[in-house]
Amino acid sequence: MGLLRKPQTDTQQLHHQRSKLLTKHLGRRRQVTRRELINRESEIGRELFGPIPKGMRREFFNLDPTTWIWHEESINPKTKKKETRTVKYEVHKDHILKVEEGPRYTKMHGQELSNFTLATHMYYERTMREIYNRDPATGKKLA
Amino acid sequence: MIDQFTSPHDSSEILGDNELIDAQRLAVSLAISSTEGLRGIENAHQDEEAHFTEPVAVFTQPFSEASNEKQPQRPWTAEDVSTYLRREGELIHDARNKELTSQG
């Protein structure tokens, strides 16, 4: 396996170096990937619920048109072990389904649904303006 | 919280290489299992540990204003909420795709 992997790694390194040189030569910015855009959106998403306690990491982002993800990590002060929690919110035709690890399913309703809707709305407004420079109402580029 | 936002920077400074992708993998696995779970879903009680039960604010905006569509003002139905969220998701998805394609 080692013999097979080494050339591949070398090739990848060569591509990486060439890419860096080319980017430097052309003076262009590195192209942004979809994942990086989602990361930037999540920077906004994580702020919507207030300050994040020290030692905790939080992500909230739109994965695709019908999926939202909440992810939280923290260190348990007693066990000193990392604890994670990921929740997926699925947008269905007439309900929002909350899917937790387990898996465990809950139809969202009441105050929780209202707050979730508002959070996604704030996320939408801010990502469109601050990341994509687009008018949230029309989707068109802002001047 | 909105005022505290700072401009986006290199994602490598924000997340570890595999962390977000792990969340996405989990999302995929949950998506598969949720299809099965939907068959037996009931109107489950509200989760006591729900993240969104901490009031951000109460969502009271009439549907017609929020969606910029000419519809009679009325309380939102479950379908209205789903339509609205789906629309937002599609617009974000479109904006992402346009951003990626605009890079040439």
Side-chain angles (χ1 to χ4, degrees), chain A residues 31-32 34-35 39 41 46 57 59 62 70 89-90 92 97 105 112 115 120-121 124 126 130 132, chain B residues 1 5 14-15 17 20 26 31 33-34 41 47 50-52 57 82 84-85 88 91 96-97 103:
Chain A
Q31 290 198 339
V32 181
R34 181 178 301 276
R35 185 181 153 194
N39 286 348
E41 291 177 23
R46 74 173 70 125
R57 181 179 151 230
E59 305 295 338
N62 174 269
W70 169 283
Y89 299 89
E90 297 177 354
H92 292 266
L97 187 66
Y105 309 95
E112 183 182 15
N115 290 335
T120 59
H121 181 64
Y124 171 71
R126 287 191 51 186
E130 298 173 28
Y132 301 114
Chain B
M1 299 324 139
F5 178 73
I14 305 165
L15 295 176
D17 283 345
L20 182 58
L26 178 61
S33 50
S34 71
I41 192 168
D47 181 2
H51 302 296
F52 299 96
S82 289
Y84 180 73
L85 289 174
E88 278 185 342
L91 289 170
R96 256 184 226 149
N97 286 339
Q103 296 179 94

Side-chain angles (χ1 to χ4, degrees), chain A residues 51-67:
Chain A
I52 302 170
K54 193 178 177 183
M56 178 179 278
R57 181 179 151 230
R58 179 185 294 159
E59 305 295 338
F60 179 64
F61 57 91
N62 174 269
L63 184 63
D64 61 45
T66 58
T67 311

Side-chain angles (χ1 to χ4, degrees), chain B residues 56-72:
Chain B
V56 177
V58 179
F59 192 75
T60 55
Q61 190 178 21
F63 186 63
S64 56
E65 287 180 21
S67 64
N68 288 321
E69 292 171 6
K70 290 181 180 178
Q71 294 185 18

Side-chain angles (χ1 to χ4, degrees), chain B residues 44-55:
Chain B
H45 62 274
Q46 191 164 337
D47 181 2
E48 292 176 354
E49 297 176 356
H51 302 296
F52 299 96
T53 49
E54 287 182 25

Side-chain angles (χ1 to χ4, degrees), chain A residues 30-41 43-44 46-47 49-50 57 59-63 65-66 68-70 72 85-101 103-107 109 111-124 126 128 130 132 134 137, chain B residues 1-2 4-11 14-21 23-24 26-27 30-31 33-35 37-38 41-47 49-59 61 66 68 76 78-79 81-86 88-93 95-100 103-104:
Chain A
R30 184 175 58 85
Q31 290 198 339
V32 181
T33 65
R34 181 178 301 276
R35 185 181 153 194
E36 286 169 336
L37 290 175
I38 293 176
N39 286 348
R40 290 179 187 179
E41 291 177 23
E43 280 189 76
I44 291 175
R46 74 173 70 125
E47 292 181 348
F49 306 92
R57 181 179 151 230
E59 305 295 338
F60 179 64
F61 57 91
N62 174 269
L63 184 63
T66 58
W68 294 80
I69 302 289
W70 169 283
E72 209 167 60
R85 188 179 189 196
T86 305
V87 183
K88 184 168 73 118
Y89 299 89
E90 297 177 354
V91 180
H92 292 266
K93 187 184 174 189
D94 60 357
H95 66 274
I96 311 302
L97 187 66
K98 180 178 174 182
V99 186
E100 295 177 90
E101 287 153 277
R104 181 180 173 195
Y105 309 95
T106 314
K107 263 187 180 178
H109 63 271
Q111 189 69 55
E112 183 182 15
L113 178 58
S114 296
N115 290 335
F116 175 72
T117 307
L118 178 61
T120 59
H121 181 64
M122 291 166 72
Y123 177 102
Y124 171 71
R126 287 191 51 186
M128 289 296 274
E130 298 173 28
Y132 301 114
R134 292 183 180 276
Chain B
M1 299 324 139
I2 291 172
Q4 294 175 5
F5 178 73
T6 52
S7 299
H9 46 279
D10 190 335
S11 63
I14 305 165
L15 295 176
D17 283 345
N18 297 318
E19 290 171 343
L20 182 58
I21 209 76
Q24 290 171 338
L26 178 61
L30 289 172
S33 50
S34 71
T35 307
L38 273 171
I41 192 168
E42 299 172 0
N43 286 324
H45 62 274
Q46 191 164 337
D47 181 2
E49 297 176 356
H51 302 296
F52 299 96
T53 49
E54 287 182 25
V56 177
V58 179
F59 192 75
Q61 190 178 21
N68 288 321
W76 282 41
E79 282 198 7
V81 174
S82 289
T83 302
Y84 180 73
L85 289 174
R86 188 182 293 267
E88 278 185 342
E90 285 169 353
L91 289 170
I92 291 169
H93 197 65
R96 256 184 226 149
N97 286 339
K98 285 174 182 168
E99 188 72 21
L100 292 169
Q103 296 179 94

